Amino acid sequence: MMATVPKSFLTSRHLEEFKNILQEKYVLVDEETLHHYSHDETEDLHFLPDVVLKPRTAAEISAILKICNREKIPLTPRGAGTGLSGGALPHWGGVLLSTERMNEILTIDERNLQVITEPGVITEVLQTTLKEKNLFYPPDPSSRGSCFIGGNISENSGGPKAVKYGVVKDYVLNLEVVLATGEIIWTGANVLKNATGYNLTQLIVGSEGTLGIVTKIVLKLLPLPKYDLLMLVPFLSAENACAAVAAIFRAGYTPSAMEFMERDALEWVSRFVENNTVMIDEEVQAHLLIEVDGNNKDVLMEEMEGIAAIVATFDSGEILFADNEQQKEELWKMRRRVGEAVKAHSIYKEEDTVVPRAELPVLLKGVKDIGKKYGFHSVCYGHAGDGNLHVNIIRGDLSEAQWNGSLKEGIREIFELVKRLGGTISGEHGIGLVQKEYMNIIFNETQMRLMREIKKIFDPNNILNPGKIFDLIS
């Protein structure tokens, strides 16, 4: 293997080369800009790049990468900066490459139910544009109002509708990618079936910008469902709320969303968004937000009635049925902004665990028991329908030694529990910078060697988002 690349220092010659590729206004070295791009939404971490570049085309990115590869300059790709695992942090300095100017929806193919888009398009903008044509792109992360579709590709994002419709990888047909050497390739074909060679498309999806820079994206689409119904179900026990999830699926129902929020999560977000839609009784410990969708409203009503009967056997309270679109929007706003509410309350670490859905009660109890052992408080919520639990560990009164020392032992115990339950350490946030020390819980040395060798083939000089997912060792 090769040694990791040390932090580089750009020279005036490098900057002039970049200016020859881009207009000078898109080669930025001022302190304010460097600080802005030094962080994402991961904890309170900051790493300054040496320069921020804002290309518009794949050809410009190709020219930039040829320079970085020749000079062995680290390059960190960045979308909207909404990531939660440090994937867009330029912790080795060098070039921060922003895709924000690559923001056009290029082609909507209504005959074949496909769209071609650039990576800097905001996910919700893409979805809204498609909705106007009665087309549906399901993956909808909580940050969909600000995150870029390119970042979603890099992290293989999911969101609430993943439980019924799948995650990003299930919709990507083809990608235009600029390699570390500056070569531009397409990874697949714009077809629904493809058994031609290795699946490079799916290798790039979820690779967190370590193998190439995505510059065009071909997505398959679905017809837009005509109706959706939403209900919020309170439970006297958080573990019972988790147990109800698997029971609903065993009964033959497939909700389009099934979201878990324990009491603290709902209380904190209610105060954060100043919303009194939900009055939480003292004995209630958790809620499930359950949605069904389809084209027959009567069938959906029957499904809601059947689901309501099932949750009643798990000590649920009075169900709140959303009566209109405004109430639906208010409930979804609360769920989508839980992360912001937690962050506003305290510095925190968010661990993105995922297990087979029937194991959720065991995982939740284990998280709370480990918290008692190590003295930390956690606020849990997530996509219960697909077993994806976000564990937010609150700093609160923890000392520096606890926060940066013994807490890691507690996190490791959580991830070891996840592995025992048949799960893994990230469902949709990626590994990035902050999770890589736990990769040896999930993968053995043979698996890690294969991933390092793939990285070396794609990026022989280790310039693309180096030090993310794992370290390359000599």
Side-chain angles (χ1 to χ4, degrees):
M1 290 297 170
M2 55 186 163
T4 53
V5 176
K7 185 183 187 311
S8 77
F9 293 93
L10 268 68
T11 66
S12 58
R13 176 174 61 84
H14 297 137
L15 295 178
E16 287 304 314
E17 288 188 85
F18 293 142
K19 289 175 184 177
N20 288 335
I21 299 167
L22 308 175
Q23 297 179 48
E24 187 169 347
K25 64 181 178 180
Y26 299 125
V27 180
L28 303 161
V29 294
D30 61 285
E31 184 177 346
E32 182 179 355
T33 299
L34 297 183
H35 177 77
H36 174 74
Y37 290 91
S38 71
H39 63 91
D40 58 9
E41 295 300 319
T42 308
E43 301 173 24
D44 57 343
L45 302 177
H46 292 77
F47 300 93
L48 289 173
D50 294 316
V51 62
V52 174
L53 303 181
K54 298 183 179 182
R56 178 65 190 88
T57 67
E60 290 174 349
I61 292 177
S62 171
I64 290 165
L65 279 169
K66 286 177 182 177
I67 294 170
C68 291
N69 192 52
R70 182 192 74 214
E71 302 290 337
K72 298 182 174 56
I73 298 169
L75 184 146
T76 303
R78 177 187 173 101
T82 60
L84 294 166
S85 63
L89 298 179
H91 72 300
W92 282 8
V95 171
L96 189 292
L97 189 144
S98 171
T99 60
E100 64 196 79
R101 295 179 59 226
M102 305 179 74
N103 58 2
E104 290 189 16
I105 300 171
L106 300 173
T107 304
I108 299 175
D109 183 349
E110 296 180 66
R111 291 190 312 138
N112 290 304
L113 298 183
Q114 294 180 10
V115 62
I116 303 176
T117 179
E118 292 182 325
V121 174
I122 294 173
T123 303
E124 189 171 27
V125 170
L126 176 64
Q127 291 175 319
T128 301
T129 303
L130 295 170
K131 187 175 182 179
E132 293 170 356
K133 297 179 179 293
N134 288 314
L135 298 173
F136 184 36
Y137 172 66
D140 61 339
S142 293
S143 58
R144 66 177 185 172
S146 54
C147 65
F148 291 172
I149 190 67
N152 297 171
I153 299 294
S154 292
E155 302 294 348
N156 191 24
S157 300
K161 295 191 187 302
V163 61
K164 179 177 181 179
Y165 292 104
V167 297
V168 164
K169 72 176 179 63
D170 300 306
Y171 295 86
V172 180
L173 300 176
N174 200 0
L175 297 169
E176 182 186 70
V177 177
V178 185
L179 302 178
T181 55
E183 296 163 284
I184 301 174
I185 66 167
W186 282 93
T187 59
N190 301 2
V191 293
L192 298 177
K193 296 172 71 175
N194 188 342
T196 311
Y198 294 139
N199 195 331
L200 297 180
T201 304
Q202 292 299 321
L203 184 59
I204 295 296
V205 174
S207 64
E208 303 185 36
T210 63
L211 302 181
I213 308 295
V214 173
T215 50
K216 290 187 181 69
I217 301 157
V218 183
L219 300 169
K220 74 173 183 179
L221 307 172
L222 301 174
L224 183 70
K226 293 179 181 179
Y227 307 106
D228 60 73
L229 302 178
L230 186 67
M231 64 180 176
L232 185 70
V233 186
F235 291 83
L236 304 184
S237 159
E239 289 178 43
N240 273 353
C242 290
V245 172
I248 290 168
F249 285 90
R250 287 196 299 270
Y253 300 105
T254 304
S256 52
M258 186 178 292
E259 300 292 294
F260 170 82
M261 294 176 283
E262 67 172 330
R263 183 185 183 94
D264 281 352
L266 197 54
E267 282 187 339
W268 289 10
V269 76
S270 295
R271 291 195 295 268
F272 182 71
V273 300
E274 298 180 348
N275 189 315
N276 296 317
T277 300
V278 181
M279 303 303 294
I280 307 174
D281 292 340
E282 288 186 8
E283 65 273 19
V284 169
Q285 296 303 310
H287 288 78
L288 288 179
L289 184 64
I290 304 173
E291 178 192 80
V292 296
D293 71 356
N295 296 320
N296 187 316
K297 202 166 188 177
D298 291 337
V299 170
L300 297 182
M301 289 296 295
E302 291 178 5
E303 289 183 3
M304 290 297 251
E305 291 171 1
I307 292 171
I310 292 170
V311 298
T313 66
F314 289 87
D315 288 331
S316 64
E318 184 176 355
I319 296 173
L320 171 62
F321 291 92
D323 294 326
N324 50 54
E325 291 302 316
Q326 181 180 352
Q327 197 168 39
K328 290 178 187 176
E329 289 176 9
E330 290 296 325
L331 289 174
W332 273 118
K333 178 182 177 182
M334 292 175 70
R335 167 59 190 94
R336 292 185 184 281
R337 300 193 68 182
V338 168
E340 292 177 65
V342 172
K343 188 169 186 175
H345 192 276
S346 169
I347 294 173
Y348 73 106
K349 294 180 185 290
E350 181 167 351
E351 310 305 335
D352 176 37
T353 62
V354 59
V355 295
R357 67 170 72 97
E359 306 299 338
L360 270 176
V362 181
L363 174 60
L364 182 66
K365 182 179 185 303
V367 167
K368 297 304 180 181
D369 289 344
I370 292 168
K372 291 176 183 176
K373 177 179 176 180
Y374 287 92
F376 65 78
H377 176 63
S378 64
V379 177
C380 298
Y381 58 91
H383 314 304
D386 48 30
N388 189 190
L389 187 69
H390 300 320
V391 179
N392 288 259
I393 299 172
I394 309 304
R395 173 152 189 180
D397 297 326
L398 293 179
S399 67
E400 189 73 21
Q402 289 174 302
W403 185 247
N404 292 312
S406 60
L407 178 58
K408 290 186 177 182
E409 298 174 23
I411 293 173
R412 179 165 283 274
E413 285 196 23
I414 290 173
F415 288 154
E416 288 170 348
L417 171 62
V418 166
K419 175 68 180 298
R420 289 197 300 274
L421 294 175
T424 193
I425 64 176
S426 181
E428 58 185 8
H429 292 170
I431 298 301
L433 181 63
V434 299
Q435 301 289 67
K436 65 181 184 179
E437 65 183 285
Y438 305 109
M439 288 279 276
N440 62 359
I441 296 173
I442 303 299
F443 298 114
N444 62 33
E445 185 48 43
T446 298
Q447 293 166 308
M448 293 299 295
R449 175 178 56 80
L450 288 171
M451 284 189 276
R452 290 189 180 105
E453 289 178 354
I454 290 170
K455 166 70 169 172
K456 187 175 181 180
I457 289 169
F458 274 82
D459 182 15
N461 288 322
N462 192 24
I463 63 163
L464 278 176
N465 219 7
K468 306 296 168 56
I469 305 180
F470 48 74
D471 288 319
L472 288 173
I473 55 177
S474 55

